[in-house]
Each structure stands twice: as structure tokens, then as C-alpha cells.
Amino acid sequence: MQYKKSDFYYNLPEELIAQSPAEPRDSSRLLVYDRSNGRVEHKTFGNIIDYLNKGDVLVLNNTKVLPARLYARTENGGAVEVLLLKRLEKDCWEVLVKPGRKCTRGKKLIISDELSLTVEDITDSGERIVKFSYNGVFEEILDRVGSMPLPPYIKSKLKDKNRYQTVYAKRDGSAAAPTAGLHFTPELLQRVRDKGVEIAEVLLHVGLGTFRPVKEDIITDHKMHSEYFEVGKEAAETISRAKREGRRVIAVGTTSVRTIESVADENGQIKPCSGNTEIFIYPPYKFKCVDGLITNFHLPESTLIMLVSALCGREKILELYNTAVSEKYRFFSFGDAMMIV
């Protein structure tokens, strides 16, 4: 069957778009859907421990969000917004710019006294390849002058920028948070370990591929942007051993799903590797490794709701989303969570 973008539409009242994160993190709500018996339960995220079994493997994406939004000006004084997408080499990055008409090849943009960039190239899809010039350590300067790249539907200012990081974030490189992980606290993760659940950490730097809107009417015409991933030896062995022994692999977030499904063989076995993935998961995709998913509620017609639909069916996902709307769950990056087992 050829799915259209409109097949993944649902109606969401604007007031259900979360503008700030729940406090504490694990006090957000949790909709649990059990595929084996069709049961739907409404819980709090801290109750997730009750749905994890000894021997399960929980897969986390330990990427860290860069303060990737920069406010620049041209040498003539025109304002330009720059969003870092992907580091290509030491000082060269792929970025989004707005407005694009001010950012032709060779154009210089000034961000601060200590940071500027020059546009070196323009990709076929309109991103810019830029080279930064600076005095000092780039990451330290970025921390001073950059802002957290909150999605455009969040209008409120974030008081604490660490609330757009998971508590297990380690490796700088993302232009957006792997938001399913925002609900975990260090204490909850310790309870998970104490129950005998194994934790495997992988890396996918979240870029344009995850949040670029689907513009094409037929979803198979949509092209994903590539994103960098790494699966280390320990994580590969932990996940592969669980699959051989018939234990569940539960991904925290769609980025964790995309990482391990990009590299798993037909038996769910994974070897240590790194590279770039453009995997686009939509029904009727057959999962090779992932048995369950912890995720937030995603935008209508997005690649993320298509991925979740592949796990338990488009009709069922739209039914569950409509339930979440009627129950007044909070949606999107700072919203509530859903667990599919």
C-alpha cells in the first residue's frame, strides 16, 4: 500500500502543545499500550519500572544537544539566524540559515566579537556549508553565544538549558534533544538497573533528518537527511546477546530505534560500527531488533509518527493519539510519554 502524508494526520488542539517540561522529570504522564492484549493504561512516567522486566535491555541515545542556534548579522547589519546541523570537519559545518537570500556563497556573518563564519557552499536542498573563524576554544565560545535550539512550537523561554538535555547526555553534537529520554531521572535509572534491566548506550546526533517536515504527498518520495551514529562494542554485545536469548530490547526514543535498526541483521544481531544513516521507517516495516518503544507524542504527518505507526499499525496509533488528546495529555518535545510493549 502506498501511504500518503495525510494518512498520518490527527487533530491536536494548540493548548495541548507543552511549553515547558514537567517538574520533576518523571512526573510526566505515561500512556502504556500492550500489543499482546490491546490494553491501554494511563500512568505516571515513574511507573515505567512496573513495565520493565529483569533481563530487558533499555537502549539510550547519549547524544548531547549543542547550543546550536546562533544569531548573526551580515556586514551590512542584516539579521540572520543560523542553526548548526552537522560538523563536517574541524571548523566546517552544515547549517540552516534564515533568511537564505542573505547567505550567498562567500558571504561573511558576524555572530560576536569572537566568532564569525563564511558561507562556502550551498547544498542541493538549501543548507549552507560554512567555515567558522574564532579566537579561543570553539565549544567554549559556542556555549557563551549559542542558544538551545528549541522547536518553533515552543514559545516560552527555557529557564534552565539543562532541561533540554537528558540526564545521561555525554557527546556534543545534536541540533535537537532525543526527547523521550527527558523523562528519566538518575534515581529512576538506578531503579531500572536495580531491577536487573541492562542499559545499552548508543549515539545518534539528531539533525535535520529527525525533524524535517514531510512535504511530498506520497511518503516514499520523502528523502531523509543523513545523521551520524555510533554503536560501541559493549552496546552491540549487550543488545545481540539479549536477542539471542529471547529477551526484550526496548528503545528509548525514535533516534535509538533508527540507530539499532540501521545496523541490525535479520536476527537482530549488531556489530560495533559508526557512520551515517538515512533510514526512514514507516508501515509495513518489519523490525529486526526493537521489541518495544518509549517515546513522546509526535507531530501530525511527521516521519516520527510514521515510525511509531510501523510498530503497532497506523490505525491503532491514530486511535491511541486521539485517546491521548481526549485525556488531555501534553504533546511534543516537552510533553508526556507513551510506552509500546
Side-chain angles (χ1 to χ4, degrees):
M1 174 178 179
Q2 272 205 325
Y3 282 109
K4 293 185 176 180
K5 178 175 73 168
S6 57
D7 290 329
F8 298 88
Y9 179 80
Y10 67 94
N11 187 45
L12 180 71
E14 195 173 334
E15 64 267 21
L16 296 184
I17 301 173
Q19 294 298 312
S20 57
E23 208 57 67
R25 289 173 183 257
D26 59 358
S27 65
S28 51
R29 294 170 72 193
L30 177 70
L31 186 154
V32 183
Y33 172 58
D34 187 330
R35 289 179 292 165
S36 67
N37 55 25
R39 183 184 298 137
V40 176
E41 296 180 85
H42 303 286
K43 300 288 183 178
T44 299
F45 196 84
N47 299 130
I48 207 157
I49 195 82
D50 301 329
Y51 299 90
L52 294 169
N53 303 327
K54 181 179 180 179
D56 285 347
V57 174
L58 203 61
V59 182
L60 310 179
N61 177 9
N62 65 14
T63 189
K64 193 172 185 181
V65 186
L66 289 164
R69 180 165 279 129
L70 300 167
Y71 296 98
R73 65 184 187 280
T74 65
E75 291 175 298
N76 298 330
V80 179
E81 188 176 313
V82 179
L83 179 66
L84 305 183
L85 292 178
K86 185 161 61 175
R87 186 178 228 146
L88 304 176
E89 48 190 77
K90 187 173 183 291
D91 296 325
C92 286
W93 287 75
E94 183 178 359
V95 304
L96 277 179
V97 294
K98 194 167 65 174
R101 60 186 162 73
K102 294 182 180 176
C103 300
T104 51
R105 283 183 186 85
K107 181 72 76 173
K108 183 178 178 182
L109 301 179
I110 300 155
I111 296 149
S112 72
D113 293 343
E114 49 190 349
L115 185 65
S116 62
L117 65 82
T118 304
V119 178
E120 298 212 321
D121 205 356
I122 303 173
T123 70
D124 291 343
S125 47
E127 291 81 47
R128 268 50 175 184
I129 308 301
V130 305
K131 185 165 187 179
F132 283 97
S133 302
Y134 51 91
N135 297 311
V137 179
F138 179 76
E139 286 75 11
E140 292 175 2
I141 296 168
L142 191 62
D143 204 44
R144 284 195 291 276
V145 303
S147 304
M148 276 301 182
L150 294 181
Y153 51 75
I154 294 177
K155 312 295 183 194
S156 305
K157 191 167 172 59
L158 188 61
K159 292 173 185 162
D160 175 7
K161 64 182 180 182
N162 286 325
R163 288 303 274 109
Y164 196 56
Q165 302 279 18
T166 64
V167 297
Y168 48 81
K170 289 177 184 166
R171 300 269 306 278
D172 280 327
S174 275
T179 54
L182 295 178
H183 307 281
F184 283 96
T185 64
E187 296 77 17
L188 180 56
L189 282 171
Q190 190 55 52
R191 288 172 61 206
V192 167
R193 290 186 185 95
D194 290 346
K195 190 167 184 178
V197 175
E198 293 187 83
I199 290 179
E201 294 190 12
V202 299
L203 174 80
L204 182 133
H205 285 325
V206 187
L208 197 58
T210 296
F211 57 87
R212 169 180 260 165
V214 177
K215 293 180 177 165
E216 294 76 6
D217 187 38
I218 304 299
I219 67 169
T220 49
D221 293 339
H222 176 74
K223 179 154 175 19
M224 293 289 279
H225 202 79
S226 76
E227 294 168 310
Y228 179 76
F229 72 87
E230 285 180 17
V231 181
K233 184 170 183 284
E234 189 180 342
E237 288 176 353
T238 298
I239 294 167
S240 297
R241 189 167 55 246
K243 294 305 289 184
R244 287 195 302 272
E245 295 173 2
R247 293 183 281 120
R248 297 190 303 178
V249 172
I250 297 172
V252 177
T254 56
T255 60
S256 297
V257 174
R258 292 178 61 238
T259 303
I260 55 181
E261 289 294 320
S262 291
V263 298
D265 69 15
E266 294 305 316
N267 300 312
Q269 298 298 290
I270 292 174
K271 291 178 180 171
C273 56
S274 63
N276 292 290
T277 180
E278 297 176 358
I279 190 171
F280 179 18
I281 296 175
Y282 51 85
Y285 179 86
K286 186 175 185 300
F287 287 86
K288 299 172 288 187
C289 192
V290 171
D291 302 300
L293 173 63
I294 297 162
T295 188
N296 280 20
F297 293 95
H298 303 294
L299 275 74
E301 300 183 339
S302 64
T303 61
L304 304 179
I305 193 172
M306 293 169 192
L307 183 153
V308 180
S309 296
L311 196 58
C312 53
R314 183 188 71 90
E315 295 83 0
K316 175 52 73 172
I317 279 297
L318 292 177
E319 179 189 317
L320 293 170
Y321 269 53
N322 287 327
T323 298
V325 168
S326 65
E327 294 285 335
K328 298 204 163 16
Y329 275 71
R330 300 163 79 239
F331 278 65
F332 306 164
S333 292
F334 284 147
D336 296 316
M338 172 186 217
M339 184 177 191
I340 301 166
V341 291

